[in-house]
Amino acid sequence: FVRGLPMSSLDHNLVCANSLTGIGSVDEALDALVPGRRGMATLFDAPIEDALKSSQKTLLDVAQLPEVDRKETQAASRAVKRAYVEARKAKLLFDAAVLRRIGQGALIKGEDPNTMSDSASLVAAQQALGPLNPGHMPVLFPEVFLRENGGFDVLIGNPPWEKLKVEEHQWWGLRFPGLRSMPMAQRTAKIARVRDERPDLLDEYERDVAVSAAARAVISAGPYPGIGSGDIDLYKAFAWRNWNLARKGAALGLVLPRGALSGSGTEKWRREVLADGTFSNVVIGTNSRGWLFDSIHQQYTVALVCVRRGGNDREIHFAGSFHSQEDFRNGRDSLASVPAKEFLTWTGTAAFPLIPDKVSGEIFRQMRRSPAFGDRSGFEFRPYRELDATQDRSYFDTNLGKPAGPIPVLTGSSFNLYEPDFGPPYAFASQVAADHVLRKTINSSSSARSAFHGLSIHSEVDLPMSRPRIAFRDVTNSTNTRTMVCCLVPPKVMMVHQSPYLVRRSGDEKDEAFLLGVMSSIPFDWYARRLVELHFTFEILDRVPIPRPDRSDPCWARVVHLAGTLAAKDGRFTDWASAVGVRVGSTPTEEQKLAMQGEIDANVAHLYGLSREQVEHLFSTFHRGWAFHDRLKLTLGYFDAIEGVK
């Protein structure tokens, strides 16, 4: 016995095989053997089930043996081996299914079970399968998968996070230390030399490449929706495999990168979990100082995911990101909770926001009560990329010392909050670029998906670039000092794709000033930080809530006035400022600007319906290590004054 288990159980339960390249269920095998069967019975059903049931019966009998002495243990071990022999027919048919998936169907003869299983047993077929080491779960554990409501009760795993690809420089670098640190040309020459000098290693390398390609083929054709056909992320396939191997009522515990909870490649998996189960407990941790894993980057974000399959509880519980073991211990029991139905409205991809704790979850849900950015009530703005730095490269020149034309081309670093001249232009362009933008705009306006659909664009004067507009930085993340960096940029400038701008489809300059004030505020940025990883995508922006108060609301009027005053820097904004009703070029001092921004934060917080305590919590969880107390004190002073008037 080992820890209370009979020794024979080790023959059966300890298995070294690849579950991703193997078959996970009888239905999966039948779908591969008979494409397009759509659940109908086939010639393969009976042979597979008969073989597995015979093996199942033997294994169940083994489980009843007491194994009190060596003789009984040896008998049980022989019975386990007999069970695998009894399941051989099913195993070979599953092998045939895998061979077809990897494009080796020519090795499988006939269309009937006997002929196919016989051909799958031949040396050529087994040699093709050998490197994949497929683990066919119904064959390995028939007593688990042939029972009513088949599948495992509990699955725990820390799947590999790398891509299923052999990187040549990494492969050779493991065998020749120092290779990967060489300059590119020197490294390439070294690899070419050792390929000639070491044919044994070259054979090994080519075998690994072939095995990787075969595994990629079988996984791409497997039951892993959204996995893609290029460089496959193994954790995505494992997320699906674990889910599909679990029975109703089962629990899963997985260690995954945060991308599993936010990336588009696992959206279908998240939706499947929420349709037939729930994320019962999700904790996200940032690996600061290696507190989670000392072998991965310290800024990597790790998700500890508990999933429950089936059941009536559709409540999702999650928290994080935690940056230390102390943070985790203090916050692990303060999980945000939200019904799955509401959760699915938060983003377009069922992505998990970073919610530090239960109070943050309540703030997030409160802010969600405001209409989404993409809502058309009151006003409508839509993000748009004007010039692509690669595709439109011929229309501008990055040589700032010798401008190609009079039109500045801005990128994200060219502006900051209420500072349109924060940095130098990215490039300069001539009238040819303006003509190109006009043609592109007119051509795209016929599409219902275009930001310009239904707008009257006939000449350059009709283009948004002819007047001030809101631009924002696309490249950003949740650990920057600010995640949303937007600015009212002057007319007669162009923007590259790293700095999209907002097309005003309906509304006026006052709506533009109000939107600028909200997007520049701490409450808006706090919300954005829950969702943004590396880019402030249009998809994220479309779902971010924006208050839409009546214009008679004094908070609305105050945000318009303050944001308009901060944005109207000089004469370039004269017409816009006149429409908003503010003075141009008031140039407040830094202290005055800080006070105005604090007042904007207070008014925006009121418009989101936040309480004083929630504002305090929002500031304290806004940015790790941020000295927020002075800004919070300033904001609360205005917040309390508004509260007193109301």
Side-chain angles (χ1 to χ4, degrees):
F1 283 74
V2 177
R3 292 188 179 179
L5 292 176
M7 291 300 295
S8 66
S9 69
L10 299 182
D11 294 340
H12 174 49
N13 291 334
L14 292 183
V15 178
C16 180
N18 191 331
S19 65
L20 296 185
T21 58
I23 297 296
S25 69
V26 173
D27 280 337
E28 183 184 329
L30 295 175
D31 288 340
L33 292 169
V34 188
R37 75 182 185 95
R38 298 178 181 176
M40 296 178 63
T42 73
L43 292 173
F44 300 93
D45 293 49
I48 290 174
E49 290 181 8
D50 289 348
L52 294 180
K53 284 180 179 178
S54 177
S55 176
Q56 175 194 31
K57 182 179 184 305
T58 299
L59 290 171
L60 290 175
D61 290 343
V62 170
Q64 304 302 315
L65 295 177
E67 297 191 43
V68 296
D69 55 32
R70 177 180 295 182
K71 185 176 180 180
E72 289 179 346
T73 296
Q74 291 173 339
S77 182
R78 288 193 297 271
V80 169
K81 293 175 182 176
R82 185 170 69 252
Y84 288 135
V85 172
E86 292 166 343
R88 186 171 185 271
K89 183 90 165 193
K91 187 263 185 189
L92 290 172
L93 289 174
F94 287 2
D95 284 348
V98 173
L99 287 167
R100 285 190 167 181
R101 278 184 177 173
I102 63 174
Q104 295 286 349
L107 296 173
I108 303 301
K109 308 301 180 183
E111 293 296 331
D112 64 283
N114 290 331
T115 306
M116 289 181 68
S117 61
D118 287 345
S119 59
S121 69
L122 297 177
V123 172
Q126 291 301 308
Q127 284 181 339
L129 289 169
L132 295 176
N133 191 23
H136 306 313
M137 292 298 165
V139 173
L140 295 171
F141 306 105
E143 73 280 22
V144 171
F145 288 90
L146 265 65
R147 60 177 171 166
E148 186 177 352
N149 182 23
F152 291 112
D153 298 290
V154 177
L155 286 162
I156 299 175
N158 180 8
W161 296 1
E162 66 264 18
K163 292 183 182 296
L164 186 58
K165 181 181 181 181
V166 177
E167 295 285 358
E168 185 174 19
H169 68 281
Q170 293 180 356
W171 194 95
W172 291 103
L174 288 174
R175 290 149 182 85
F176 295 91
L179 180 71
R180 294 172 63 184
S181 62
M182 293 179 180
M184 177 70 73
Q186 187 178 348
R187 185 175 67 193
T188 301
K190 172 71 172 178
I191 291 176
R193 188 164 60 253
V194 297
R195 287 169 69 101
D196 291 336
E197 295 172 351
R198 295 292 303 273
D200 57 325
L201 287 180
L202 180 59
D203 287 344
E204 183 182 345
Y205 167 74
E206 291 177 344
R207 282 196 302 272
D208 286 352
V209 170
V211 169
S212 176
R216 188 162 56 249
V218 70
I219 292 173
S220 296
Y224 313 113
I227 197 68
S229 57
D231 296 337
I232 292 173
D233 286 304
L234 285 172
Y235 76 84
K236 297 177 183 177
F238 271 107
W240 275 112
R241 181 54 94 198
N242 277 267
W243 173 255
N244 290 329
L245 293 178
R247 69 190 310 217
K248 294 284 186 181
L252 310 179
L254 300 173
V255 181
L256 299 169
R258 188 197 167 192
L261 300 178
S262 58
S264 58
T266 44
E267 176 188 351
K268 291 182 179 179
W269 174 72
R270 294 191 296 272
R271 292 190 181 278
E272 177 73 15
V273 170
L274 293 173
D276 191 29
T278 191
F279 290 92
S280 55
N281 192 313
V282 173
V283 172
I284 297 173
T286 301
N287 196 43
S288 303
R289 298 183 179 180
W291 79 275
L292 280 166
F293 297 102
D294 57 13
S295 59
I296 65 173
H297 195 281
Q298 293 191 9
Q299 292 304 309
Y300 216 101
T301 307
V302 179
L304 309 177
V305 181
C306 294
V307 170
R308 176 73 65 177
R309 182 158 194 175
N312 298 320
D313 183 9
R314 290 294 188 268
E315 194 86 5
I316 300 171
H317 308 275
F318 59 103
S321 182
F322 299 114
H323 291 258
S324 67
Q325 191 173 55
E326 183 181 2
D327 283 352
F328 171 69
R329 285 173 175 167
N330 292 336
R332 63 186 176 186
D333 297 324
S334 180
L335 299 177
S337 299
V338 61
K341 187 176 181 180
E342 178 185 339
F343 175 85
L344 287 170
T345 68
W346 287 2
T347 67
T349 58
F352 275 74
L354 290 176
I355 303 291
D357 49 41
K358 186 176 182 179
V359 176
S360 297
E362 294 167 355
I363 295 172
F364 191 90
R365 296 179 71 184
Q366 171 60 37
M367 295 180 72
R368 287 285 311 165
R369 294 177 182 174
S370 293
F373 178 93
D375 192 283
R376 299 180 182 180
S377 57
F379 54 79
E380 182 189 3
F381 289 79
R382 197 177 298 180
Y384 180 74
R385 293 184 173 94
E386 193 162 52
L387 291 174
D388 187 277
T390 301
Q391 295 179 3
D392 298 321
R393 181 66 181 81
S394 62
Y395 291 100
F396 54 83
D397 189 353
T398 56
N399 183 2
L400 303 184
K402 190 178 180 181
I407 305 173
V409 179
L410 307 186
T411 188
S413 59
S414 303
F415 58 83
N416 206 341
L417 293 172
Y418 300 111
E419 296 184 47
D421 305 311
F422 178 73
Y426 173 75
F428 281 93
S430 66
Q431 183 61 38
V432 175
D435 295 339
H436 167 68
V437 169
L438 177 61
R439 287 194 304 271
K440 189 166 68 169
T441 302
I442 293 174
N443 292 339
S444 70
S445 63
S446 60
S447 170
R449 299 177 61 185
S450 170
F452 301 99
H453 183 68
L455 300 184
S456 180
I457 307 287
H458 302 291
S459 65
E460 186 178 329
V461 73
D462 300 320
L463 291 174
M465 66 172 285
S466 298
R467 57 183 178 271
R469 50 195 166 145
I470 299 173
F472 65 94
R473 295 180 187 174
D474 165 79
V475 180
T476 185
N477 61 60
S478 60
T479 60
N480 285 352
T481 305
R482 294 297 291 264
T483 294
M484 166 50 74
V485 177
C486 58
C487 184
L488 188 75
V489 297
K492 299 181 180 178
V493 301
M494 291 184 174
M495 317 299 298
V496 290
H497 68 278
Q498 297 97 334
S499 50
Y501 73 90
L502 301 182
V503 177
R504 174 157 42 99
R505 294 181 47 79
S506 66
D508 57 22
E509 287 83 356
K510 288 186 177 180
D511 294 314
E512 200 159 38
F514 174 75
L515 181 59
L516 177 66
V518 172
M519 291 177 64
S520 301
S521 71
I522 294 293
F524 178 95
D525 209 323
W526 181 92
Y527 185 98
R529 295 165 95 82
R530 307 306 114 205
L531 297 165
V532 171
E533 288 190 74
L534 298 174
H535 295 273
F536 209 123
T537 65
F538 292 1
E539 184 178 66
I540 291 175
L541 180 60
D542 189 63
R543 296 293 185 100
V544 176
I546 301 288
R548 307 289 177 109
D550 189 271
R551 287 195 171 199
S552 62
D553 191 312
C555 289
W556 176 88
R558 198 63 187 147
V559 171
V560 170
H561 176 78
L562 292 165
T565 300
L566 287 168
K569 304 289 287 187
D570 51 45
R572 294 173 295 176
F573 301 93
T574 297
D575 292 341
W576 186 87
S578 176
V580 175
V582 297
R583 291 170 51 198
V584 172
S586 59
T587 60
T589 65
E590 288 301 316
E591 186 177 352
Q592 290 171 330
K593 285 167 60 177
L594 185 62
M596 294 168 74
Q597 290 172 331
E599 188 176 354
I600 289 174
D601 292 340
N603 280 277
V604 171
H606 266 287
L607 292 173
Y608 276 120
L610 302 180
S611 68
R612 192 181 200 277
E613 291 73 20
Q614 287 177 326
V615 172
E616 291 178 320
H617 189 82
L618 183 149
F619 270 74
S620 68
T621 55
F622 176 70
H623 181 61
R624 186 173 177 81
W626 180 42
F628 64 90
H629 295 91
D630 290 343
R631 178 78 177 255
L632 173 61
K633 183 178 179 180
L634 183 66
T635 299
L636 289 178
Y638 288 112
F639 187 90
D640 293 340
I642 298 168
E643 191 78 9
V645 172
K646 285 192 172 184

